[in-house]
Amino acid sequence: MTKLKNPATDKFFEAILSLKNIDECYSFFEDVCTIKELMDVSQRLEVAIMLNDGKSYQEISKTTGASTATISRVNKCLNYGPGGYKTVLDNLTGEGK
């Protein structure tokens, strides 16, 4: 599957899946991540949403503050990655249910 797959990563993902609401997510991720890490990951998701909606790199950069390198990386993952962004985007829009 992926180089990341191991028991510790499985446990981390199980912990995330055990969270019941946004408040629990905030509490856990504020303990686990730095503010910058959380903001970076949140920004990448926002970039993915905007790319999926057909927005231009310029518009995405202006709206999110993401660099073109970040936008390009997210775009590469959307088009050639293992499908994680697509799964989340489908789940957020109700298409994955």
Side-chain angles (χ1 to χ4, degrees):
M1 176 170 220
T2 174
K3 294 184 279 185
L4 292 174
K5 184 139 181 69
N6 64 56
T9 306
D10 286 351
K11 185 58 74 180
F12 176 69
F13 291 145
E14 288 171 15
I16 293 169
L17 291 170
S18 77
L19 299 170
K20 295 176 182 64
N21 57 50
I22 288 178
D23 288 335
E24 287 186 6
C25 288
Y26 272 102
S27 294
F28 178 71
F29 282 99
E30 284 183 45
D31 283 348
V32 173
C33 300
T34 66
I35 292 172
K36 172 112 173 68
E37 288 167 338
L38 279 172
M39 299 308 289
D40 288 348
V41 171
S42 299
Q43 181 187 65
R44 287 183 203 130
L45 179 58
E46 191 64 25
V47 167
I49 291 167
M50 293 181 77
L51 284 167
N52 197 54
D53 289 344
K55 306 294 186 204
S56 70
Y57 277 35
Q58 183 178 4
E59 186 175 357
I60 294 168
S61 181
K62 183 178 179 183
T63 302
T64 67
S67 68
T68 55
T70 295
I71 298 166
S72 180
R73 180 183 181 281
V74 171
N75 192 48
K76 181 179 176 185
C77 290
L78 274 171
N79 291 306
Y80 306 108
Y85 278 122
K86 173 134 180 55
T87 298
V88 167
L89 295 174
D90 287 350
N91 290 345
L92 287 174
T93 61
E95 294 176 24
K97 295 178 182 177

